[in-house]
Structures are given as C-alpha cells and as structure tokens.
C-alpha cells in the first residue's frame, strides 16, 4: 500500500471523484491510498476508524467460516464506500476487504472530526444512501426463496442495467453461491430460453 498525503495529490483526487461535494464540514483530513491487487484493505484485526471512498478499482468483501472457507459478501467499486457501517457502529468489522484490482481510495481520517461529521446533514445523507443501497440489494436477493436460478433471474431483472449480466463475479457474491452453481444455473436458464449468452461472461434476460 502506498499512501499520499501531499495536498496537490489529495486535492486532485477529491476534485476528480467529487467526494468533497458530500460535506458541509470544513477542515477535514484526507489522504490517498493506492492498493495493489490482492492486498487486504480492512480486516477484523484492524480498527475500522476511517472512511474510504473508492476512486478507482474494485474490491471484494468476505468473511471466513470456522472451517477456513470463504463466505463471499459483496463486491465494491467506485464510487462505493468502505467503512460506512463501521462508522455508525462500534468501529469493528467481522469482514475482510481485499483488492480485486489495483485500487485507489480517498481516506477520510474521521477520528478527531467525528462529532462534527455527525452534525453534517450532507455527509449523513451520503452515508445513509450508501448503507441503504447495500441493505436494499442484500434484502432483495436474500429474500427470494427458491433455487439459484430463481434468485439469478430476480438479480438480472432488478439489478442488472437493461437485464444484462456483465461478468459472473459480482453475481456470485450477490447470490451467495459458488462459481460452479452459478455457471450451472446460467446454462440451465439458457436452455430454457429465459436468458441468452451474448458474450464471454455476458448474458441478457429475455
């Protein structure tokens, strides 16, 4: 991980990302962190005392079960936020966030500014929208009873722009299934004429 704190770099990323437009509070401390693919960004043994705004790249959130296997939770990418749940909670997290690609994050060092941020309506609105988006998708997908095929159809209908699934990685995380289960369901739905393969890892709802 490389961290940049010089004002020119930080200001450049703040302007490019639009992050600074989400605050009425002045005098906040930001830095820019660059992670390489495979680096762990947050984990249960690290205090989650900062908010991180993803400016470039994507990461995966997962837990580790008692048997050592991974429990996929979600994928995050720009303009997503890491640490929103933790900010309004105790600061701890049971999950890992790992960079799937090279990632650039704008880090808000919120410790000394926490009380002021809790009185910042623009910031709180942004935080609420971030949490609501994650919760809405989680509840919608988890609330669908039935097979992986049923949940996949719901996911493509409600969460894929124009009904096009582009890449199986995010779907695998959102549906809480293995890659093998997802590929099997995609093949079955193609055979039933409910979806159509339109490219490598791309499927359209019919």
């Amino acid at each position: 991980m490389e961290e940049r704190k010089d004002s020119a770099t930080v200001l450049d990323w703040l302007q490019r990302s639009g992050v600074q437009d989400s605050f009425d509070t002045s005098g906040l401390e930001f830095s820019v962190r660059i992670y390489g693919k495979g680096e762990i960004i947050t984990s249960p043994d690290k205090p989650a005392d900062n908010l991180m705004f993803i400016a470039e790249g994507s990461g995966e959130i997962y837990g580790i079960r008692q048997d050592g296997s991974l429990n996929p939770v979600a994928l995050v990418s720009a303009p997503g936020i890491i640490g929103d749940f933790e900010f309004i909670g105790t600061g701890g997290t049971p999950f890992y966030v790992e960079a799937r690609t090279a990632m650039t994050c704008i880090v808000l060092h919120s410790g000394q500014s926490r009380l002021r941020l809790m009185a910042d309506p623009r910031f709180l609105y942004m935080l609420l929208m971030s949490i609501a988006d994650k919760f809405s998708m989680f509840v919608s997908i988890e609330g669908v009873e039935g097979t992986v095929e049923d949940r996949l159809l719901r996911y493509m209908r409600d969460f894929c722009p124009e009904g096009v699934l582009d890449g199986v990685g995010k779907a695998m995380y959102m549906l809480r299934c293995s890659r093998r289960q997802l590929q099997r369901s995609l093949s079955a739905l193609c055979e039933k004429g409910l979806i159509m393969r339109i490219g490598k890892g791309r499927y359209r709802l019919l």
Side-chain angles (χ1 to χ4, degrees):
M1 185 270 290
E2 175 188 355
E3 185 164 25
R4 300 286 300 274
K5 295 184 178 181
D6 61 282
S7 58
T9 298
V10 172
L11 181 60
D12 178 50
W13 279 104
L14 283 172
Q15 291 176 338
R16 276 200 273 172
S17 65
V19 166
Q20 62 182 356
D21 297 330
S22 298
F23 299 90
D24 287 323
T25 304
S26 60
L28 296 173
E29 180 187 355
F30 293 94
S31 67
V32 174
R33 291 181 185 173
I34 302 171
Y35 295 90
K37 179 180 179 180
E39 280 196 79
I40 300 297
I41 298 173
T42 63
S43 64
D45 62 340
K46 296 179 181 179
D49 52 0
N50 297 319
L51 277 170
M52 306 180 72
F53 302 86
I54 304 173
E56 284 186 346
S58 62
E60 52 188 319
I61 304 174
Y62 59 85
I64 298 181
R65 300 185 180 94
Q66 290 186 343
D67 63 3
S69 62
L70 297 185
N71 177 29
V73 175
L75 298 182
V76 287
S77 58
I81 302 175
I82 299 171
D84 44 5
F85 281 94
E86 291 77 16
F87 181 85
I88 62 172
T90 61
T93 175
F95 301 117
Y96 294 80
V97 179
E98 179 179 329
R100 295 182 77 233
T101 66
M103 288 180 66
T104 300
C105 297
I106 299 169
V107 182
L108 169 60
H109 303 273
S110 56
Q112 296 181 346
S113 304
R114 183 179 179 84
L115 290 179
R116 289 194 295 145
L117 287 169
M118 293 300 288
D120 183 333
R122 188 179 297 185
F123 165 73
L124 293 176
Y125 176 79
M126 173 202 62
L127 205 64
L128 176 62
M129 294 303 296
S130 174
I131 292 173
D133 285 345
K134 292 175 182 176
F135 188 70
S136 175
M137 179 174 288
F138 178 81
V139 169
S140 181
I141 296 299
E142 288 295 311
V144 176
E145 296 182 358
T147 65
V148 175
E149 292 179 27
D150 297 329
R151 294 160 63 200
L152 176 57
L153 288 172
R154 172 70 178 271
Y155 174 74
M156 292 182 68
R157 187 184 73 235
D158 293 348
F159 297 103
C160 295
E162 299 181 356
V164 175
L165 187 153
D166 191 0
V168 299
K170 184 175 182 179
M172 181 182 72
Y173 272 78
M174 293 298 101
L175 299 175
R176 310 292 192 274
C177 65
S178 68
R179 185 174 294 272
R180 178 177 295 181
Q181 288 175 311
L182 181 58
Q183 292 289 5
R184 188 183 302 124
S185 296
L186 288 167
S187 296
L189 291 174
C190 284
E191 291 177 2
K192 294 175 181 178
L194 297 175
I195 65 174
M196 177 176 66
R197 187 175 186 270
I198 57 175
K200 184 177 181 181
R202 302 185 76 235
Y203 297 84
R204 176 181 287 120
L205 188 64
L206 298 177

